[in-house]
């Protein structure tokens, strides 16, 4: 980050998504433009779901039984991130390791299941609270990994994952931690959440062609596809990573967060909060907008949001930066999206490749951006921005740079 | 009709299912010794209530209770 404090680097990434377990699976699906949206018979809508996996084998029987799905997805992503970083829990200086995880919904699956039991006059599970509360995920991860530093949750709706990463970086910059496991997770695949989003008119409605439902920047977009997933990155003080002689994937050069303070759900018409977040992230990175090579856009596929974001980005970087959205392939993973997209942006830097935006048949004429479509584009990216915005007018931007 | 032996088997299976690692369960083992925390005690009560087909009070067991005592408690209230 800026010269004011310790530099923060990323040494590991982990992703669980509708493409499967692992960042490789998500990256491959993005490169191949292979949308994971399907008709969901349980919710009778188009959704993206993480493929089933043996939670007991992956996590151990007690953890599998005593955690909500949103925790389980993050456990898997976190283990992957630690492995890539070459870190073994317990071998580290525990009090110097923090955990910050973002979530929009917490254990909403557990909450809904137990609410049904309660309303039917049955006893609720004694695990209801530890499975449902939003702070439990970082608590569980700290317990699982022996991370004894600061541990807390960040919640800013669909900006939660990026917010958590920004706050994790701040813990390193302040000198509180050498390592922070940060990211986001959500598994909101329950009837109540789907019905609530549908009632707001937020969901893409293309039952006849589910794979084409999520269409960021396309003229025919009509909403987002509800999805689940988790993303975790290992943030590390640069000197700490250097001392371990571990590979640095990218630098987290800057972070910015700001509120629209405009409307409970609608973004500011000029993206004011997102704009301030971008400027704050660039300022911290010591960079200007002209240096931005690539933008991983929030772009969920809603009619209003995509245009507001595109006008803002166009005004800042014009056609100089490549732009992509991961949500046509992976759906909108809510509080996980910012973390998953940060991990994919790190991939763009390390692989020197920008994945295309799938389902982009006809670019909205109001979108004046260099949106990558069709095939992956080879590009050496020095500085990228990853955008996240949430209901509540909360925005978070991460500036990621080549090491 | 439920027998004390079949009830013991049911109890031991329910305890085992709550633990990650297999442990030797004896009549003298306390629930605490077996590694059941306070939340697991309530989970055990829920499991046994389902297995026995009758409601059990949440405070029926405590962590210092031995397996023999637990089986006897259930046997005394077991349906005929």
């Amino acid at each position: 980050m800026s010269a004011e404090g310790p530099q923060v680097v990323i040494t590991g990434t982990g992703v669980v998504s509708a493409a499967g377990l692992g960042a490789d699976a998500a990256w491959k699906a993005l490169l191949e433009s292979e949308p994971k949206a399907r008709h969901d018979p349980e919710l009778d809508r188009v959704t993206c779901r993480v493929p089933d996996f043996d939670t007991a084998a992956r996590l151990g029987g007690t953890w599998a039984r005593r955690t909500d799905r949103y925790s389980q997805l993050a456990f898997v992503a976190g283990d992957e991130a630690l492995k890539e970083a070459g870190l073994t829990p317990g071998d580290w200086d525990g009090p110097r390791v923090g955990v910050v995880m973002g979530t929009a919904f917490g254990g909403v699956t557990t909450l809904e299941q137990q609410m049904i039991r309660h309303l039917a006059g049955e006893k609720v599970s004694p695990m209801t609270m530890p499975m449902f509360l939003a702070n439990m995920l970082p608590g569980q991860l700290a317990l699982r990994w022996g991370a004894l530093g600061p541990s807390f949750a960040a919640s800013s709706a669909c900006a939660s994952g990026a917010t958590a990463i920004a706050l994790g970086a701040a813990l390193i910059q302040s000198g509180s931690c050498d390592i922070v496991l940060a990211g986001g997770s959500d598994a909101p695949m329950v009837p109540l959440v789907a019905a609530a989003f549908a009632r707001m008119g937020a969901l893409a409605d293309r039952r006849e062609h589910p794979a084409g439902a999520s269409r960021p920047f396309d003229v025919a977009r009509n909403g987002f596809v509800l999805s689940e997933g988790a993303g975790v990155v290992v943030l590390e003080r640069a000197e700490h990573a250097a001392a371990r002689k571990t590979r640095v994937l990218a630098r987290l050069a800057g972070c910015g967060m700001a509120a629209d303070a405009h409307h409970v759900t609608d973004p500011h018409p000029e993206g004011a909060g997102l704009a301030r977040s971008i400027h704050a992230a660039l300022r911290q990175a010591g960079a200007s907008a002209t240096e931005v090579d690539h933008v991983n856009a929030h772009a969920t596929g809603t009619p209003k949001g995509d245009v507001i974001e595109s006008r803002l980005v166009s005004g800042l970087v014009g056609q100089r930066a490549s732009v992509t959205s991961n949500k046509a392939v992976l759906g909108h993973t809510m509080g996980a999206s910012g973390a998953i997209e940060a991990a994919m942006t790190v991939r763009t830097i390390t692989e020197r490749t920008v994945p295309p935006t799938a389902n982009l048949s006809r670019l909205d004429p109001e979108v004046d951006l260099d949106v990558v479509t069709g095939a992956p584009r080879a590009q050496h990216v020095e500085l990228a921005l990853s955008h996240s915005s949430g209901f509540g007018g909360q925005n978070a931007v991460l500036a990621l740079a080549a090491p | 009709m439920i027998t004390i032996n079949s009830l013991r088997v049911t109890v031991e299976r329910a305890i085992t299912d709550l633990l990650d690692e297999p442990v030797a369960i004896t009549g003298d083992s306390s629930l605490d010794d077996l590694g059941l925390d306070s939340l697991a005690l309530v989970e055990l009560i829920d499991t046994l209530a389902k297995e026995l087909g009758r409601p059990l009070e949440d405070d029926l067991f405590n962590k210092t209770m031995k397996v023999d005592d637990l089986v006897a408690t259930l046997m005394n209230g077991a349906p005929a």
Side-chain angles (χ1 to χ4, degrees), chain A:
Chain A
M1 296 199 173
S2 71
E4 295 161 18
Q7 296 276 315
V8 179
V9 296
I10 293 175
T11 54
T13 60
V15 171
V16 171
S17 72
L21 309 189
D24 284 349
W27 181 246
K28 181 171 181 285
L30 291 177
L31 294 183
E32 294 175 354
S33 268
E34 195 182 299
K36 298 301 175 185
R38 302 286 183 269
H39 176 69
D40 187 326
E42 194 179 320
L43 300 179
D44 193 24
R45 300 187 190 283
V46 177
T47 69
C48 293
R49 284 189 187 255
V50 172
D52 285 339
F53 63 98
D54 186 342
T55 53
R58 280 267 180 175
L59 313 175
T62 301
W63 280 120
R65 195 180 70 254
R66 287 184 156 194
T67 50
D68 185 272
R69 185 167 173 84
Y70 96 106
S71 294
Q72 295 169 359
L73 302 183
F75 279 28
V76 175
D79 285 346
E80 181 190 13
L82 286 176
K83 188 176 177 189
E84 184 175 34
L87 289 166
T88 305
D91 284 354
W92 53 34
D93 183 5
R96 299 286 300 166
V97 181
V99 181
V100 187
M101 289 298 293
T103 183
F105 291 97
V108 69
T109 306
T110 296
L111 182 67
E112 185 172 280
Q113 288 168 348
Q114 297 305 317
M115 179 66 79
I116 290 167
R117 291 177 64 89
H118 181 64
L119 293 176
E122 298 173 27
K123 286 182 178 177
V124 299
S125 165
M127 298 308 300
T128 303
M129 282 299 154
M131 289 171 72
F132 151 63
L133 295 176
N135 72 303
M136 288 309 296
L137 170 56
Q140 291 156 350
L141 291 173
L143 175 61
R144 183 174 169 83
W145 291 331
L148 308 178
S151 166
F152 56 91
S155 192
S156 50
C158 305
S160 299
T163 301
I165 292 172
L167 294 174
L171 289 176
I172 292 176
Q173 281 217 298
S174 70
S176 298
C177 294
D178 295 322
I179 298 167
V180 177
L181 293 313
S185 187
D186 262 317
M189 315 305 283
V190 293
L192 177 64
V193 172
F197 276 132
R199 197 77 207 286
M200 298 171 77
L203 297 182
D205 183 20
R206 270 193 189 80
R207 294 172 192 228
E208 73 285 358
H209 180 37
S214 179
R215 313 181 69 82
F217 299 127
D218 189 272
V219 71
R221 69 192 181 279
N222 66 358
F224 65 79
V225 167
L226 186 63
S227 183
E228 60 180 350
V232 176
V233 298
V234 176
L235 304 175
E236 199 164 348
R237 189 164 56 81
E239 293 82 357
H240 190 272
R244 291 197 305 118
K245 296 183 169 50
T246 193
R247 181 189 177 202
V248 172
L249 303 173
R251 290 184 298 117
L252 182 52
C255 308
M257 294 178 280
D260 285 348
H262 165 71
H263 186 267
V264 286
T265 53
D266 279 356
H268 186 279
E270 281 139 28
L274 183 58
R276 282 198 300 279
S277 302
I278 292 169
H279 290 302
L282 289 173
R283 194 163 49 245
Q284 194 172 33
S288 68
T290 57
E291 295 172 75
V292 175
D293 303 309
H294 172 67
V295 177
N296 188 310
H298 182 63
T300 63
T302 58
K304 203 182 287 183
D306 287 14
V307 166
I308 290 172
E309 184 180 11
S310 68
R311 284 185 190 138
L312 173 63
V313 175
S314 177
L316 285 170
V317 303
Q319 293 273 338
R320 290 188 307 274
S322 61
V323 176
T324 197
S325 169
N326 300 157
K327 291 185 176 76
V329 169
L330 304 177
H332 192 350
T333 56
M334 307 280 119
S337 62
I340 290 174
E341 288 158 19
M344 293 297 97
T345 307
V346 168
R347 267 308 162 100
T348 285
I349 291 170
T350 58
E351 300 298 318
R352 300 183 174 209
T353 303
V354 177
T357 301
N359 290 334
L360 183 44
S361 308
R362 200 150 60 90
L363 188 67
D364 185 328
E366 291 198 63
V367 175
D368 184 20
L369 294 172
D370 177 19
V371 183
V372 178
T373 60
R377 181 188 295 176
Q379 183 187 356
H380 173 66
V381 171
E382 276 293 329
L383 180 64
L385 299 178
S386 182
H387 293 176
S388 296
S389 299
F391 280 171
Q394 289 150 336
N395 305 276
V397 170
L398 307 175
L400 296 151

Side-chain angles (χ1 to χ4, degrees), chain A residues 59-63 65-66 117 123-127 130, chain B residues 17-20 37 39-40 42-43 45-46 56-58:
Chain A
L59 313 175
T62 301
W63 280 120
R65 195 180 70 254
R66 287 184 156 194
R117 291 177 64 89
K123 286 182 178 177
V124 299
S125 165
M127 298 308 300
Chain B
D17 285 349
L18 290 170
L19 303 172
D20 269 344
D37 61 20
L39 294 170
V42 185
E43 288 183 288
I45 286 166
D46 283 352
L56 298 174
E57 293 297 320
D58 281 352

